[in-house]
Amino acid sequence: MPIDLRSDTVTTPTEKMRDAIRDAAVGDDVYGEDPTINHLEQLAAEIVGKEAALFVTSGTQGNQVAVLTHAQRGDEVILEEYSHIFGYETAGLSTIAGVQARTIKGVNGQMPIPDIVAAIREDDIHCPKTALICLENTHGDSGGRILPLNYMEKVYEISRQHQIPVHLDGARLFNAAVGLGVDPKEITKFVDTVQFCLSKGLSAPMGSILAGSKNFIEKARKWRKMLGGGMRQAGIAGAAGIVALEEMVGRLEEDHVHAKKLAQRLALIEGIDIDAEGVETNMIMFSIEGLGMDSREFIEKLNEHQILANSAGPYRIRFVTHRGITKEDIGTAVEVVNRIAAEAKTRL
């Protein structure tokens, strides 16, 4: 079996999840009659400290439903320039929601506070209305970096001053909570709405949760239906989500330990440029430019040794640890990178 470091999306359901899927009590969720989904949504809302929640097919759908519910066509949304919502959701902001993106360059996913303030539009007939501020925690393109709680609080204070809601793309919210050593509510209390994935490190086969006020979720439910997310006996999938929330959060710490160890050992290899101290969760980014090859060639060489990885730029590689990655896999990956680096050195 390959050592798959491409993403934590490759996790497969546990045996308990498979049992729950088989035995799930179901009904028509569009009618609100699926007991498993109702339980999942109630549980999820309680975990993140919101009044209500909505089961959606994916994180992308959850984020798009959130934008559609918060904003109107012609409005503007503030978000970090390398955020998932802006860069990896097939231009849904413009093509589906009909809103304009106001991107801000961030540092480790953090948009500078003065830049957020400066980006908020005044009431002007020439300008769009600033309808929403979006945050991402953990921030994927920065290598799974965590937004500090004091930073999120400052953004929230600004949003209250200007009466602008805040939406959190918390696809890996629980990685952030485990990394900070806090209850997820300590993060989500600084946002109006939050989307988080059940299908990444939590290992459910599909699905995400969108949570917020009861009024917000009532409106969001209709947008979900419009996007084709009105599932029927959805408890089949939701049952695995319940197991994910009840049993899979605590073990994320193991993924973080593996990622840190992997980063520390890669940092010892000549030609690998990595900030091992900056690894905070289950994701690491590193440059292989010093090896005299690009990402495509490096990944091909990894594949020859049954290791899978993703490119994050011309010379940038991403490794993601998850439930399917063992301590032994980390050792093997380091050995393979060492071998590739040694071969590259002979060519330089």
Side-chain angles (χ1 to χ4, degrees):
M1 290 287 291
I3 297 173
D4 198 338
L5 292 164
R6 289 175 299 173
S7 177
D8 45 11
T9 61
V10 303
T11 52
T12 55
T14 65
E15 286 304 309
K16 189 163 184 178
M17 288 180 185
R18 293 178 188 274
D19 290 341
I21 289 168
R22 183 194 63 231
D23 299 332
V26 297
D28 192 323
D29 182 48
V30 175
Y31 291 132
E33 296 174 354
D34 190 302
T36 301
I37 291 298
N38 292 343
H39 175 48
L40 170 62
E41 291 174 344
Q42 181 181 6
L43 174 65
E46 291 172 356
I47 288 173
V48 296
K50 300 302 178 187
E51 289 182 339
L54 184 68
F55 181 63
V56 293
T57 61
S58 67
T60 294
Q61 186 179 75
N63 286 332
Q64 294 304 317
V65 168
V67 173
L68 284 161
T69 309
H70 279 299
Q72 297 181 355
R73 297 186 68 83
D75 285 347
E76 188 169 75
V77 175
I78 295 174
L79 65 176
E80 203 275 332
E81 67 173 348
Y82 292 110
S83 63
H84 193 278
I85 295 176
F86 178 68
Y88 300 99
E89 297 186 3
T90 59
L93 286 176
S94 57
T95 58
I96 298 175
V99 300
Q100 177 168 290
R102 182 74 175 269
T103 60
I104 296 175
K105 183 177 180 60
V107 178
N108 296 327
Q110 300 175 50
M111 298 177 284
I113 297 298
D115 292 356
I116 296 175
V117 175
I120 296 172
R121 300 281 191 171
E122 296 181 359
D123 186 11
D124 188 318
I125 195 172
H126 302 89
C127 303
K129 171 189 172 185
T130 301
L132 183 64
I133 299 171
C134 292
L135 300 176
E136 183 178 324
N137 197 10
T138 64
H139 190 267
D141 207 66
S142 296
R145 298 299 290 264
I146 301 171
L147 300 186
L149 293 179
N150 61 353
Y151 171 79
M152 293 195 65
E153 183 175 15
K154 289 176 184 176
V155 175
Y156 190 65
E157 289 173 351
I158 291 168
S159 75
R160 300 308 93 171
Q161 292 168 11
H162 295 271
Q163 298 182 317
I164 300 170
V166 179
H167 171 66
L168 176 63
D169 176 3
R172 295 181 175 89
L173 169 69
F174 294 98
N175 290 95
V178 169
L180 291 172
V182 302
D183 188 288
K185 295 187 188 73
E186 294 302 305
I187 298 173
T188 55
K189 69 182 182 181
F190 297 123
V191 298
D192 297 279
T193 57
V194 56
Q195 175 277 129
F196 63 84
C197 290
L198 301 166
S199 57
K200 291 186 168 69
L202 299 187
S203 300
M206 65 163 286
S208 289
I209 294 291
L210 177 62
S213 68
K214 287 182 180 179
N215 182 57
F216 177 89
I217 293 301
E218 285 176 6
K219 294 178 181 177
R221 192 175 296 275
K222 191 166 185 175
W223 285 115
R224 184 190 68 172
K225 185 72 173 74
M226 183 182 290
L227 295 182
M231 298 169 282
R232 299 300 178 172
Q233 287 71 39
I236 293 291
I242 293 172
V243 177
L245 291 176
E246 290 180 340
E247 298 192 0
M248 303 303 290
V249 174
R251 64 148 310 281
L252 293 176
E253 177 63 28
E254 180 182 339
D255 299 339
H256 296 184
V257 170
H258 285 164
K260 193 73 169 181
K261 180 63 68 175
L262 178 56
Q264 290 170 340
R265 294 180 66 180
L266 289 177
L268 301 176
I269 300 175
E270 185 177 351
I272 300 294
D273 184 10
I274 182 171
D275 175 17
E277 291 304 309
V279 174
E280 296 178 332
T281 54
N282 67 324
M283 191 180 298
I284 68 175
M285 303 279 198
F286 60 95
S287 171
I288 44 85
E289 189 170 8
L291 300 180
M293 65 179 73
D294 60 17
S295 298
R296 179 192 57 79
E297 183 181 359
F298 184 80
I299 289 174
E300 286 177 355
K301 290 184 178 298
L302 287 175
N303 292 168
E304 291 172 5
H305 296 278
Q306 293 294 293
I307 295 177
L308 307 181
N310 275 335
S311 168
Y315 302 100
R316 196 176 182 218
I317 303 295
R318 186 182 84 163
F319 282 169
V320 184
T321 56
H322 49 81
R323 188 171 62 86
I325 299 299
T326 66
K327 184 170 70 172
E328 290 71 27
D329 292 334
I330 297 301
T332 300
V334 171
E335 290 175 10
V336 169
V337 174
N338 227 330
R339 191 179 310 172
I340 295 172
E343 292 172 356
K345 189 175 180 181
T346 64
R347 300 187 312 182
L348 295 176

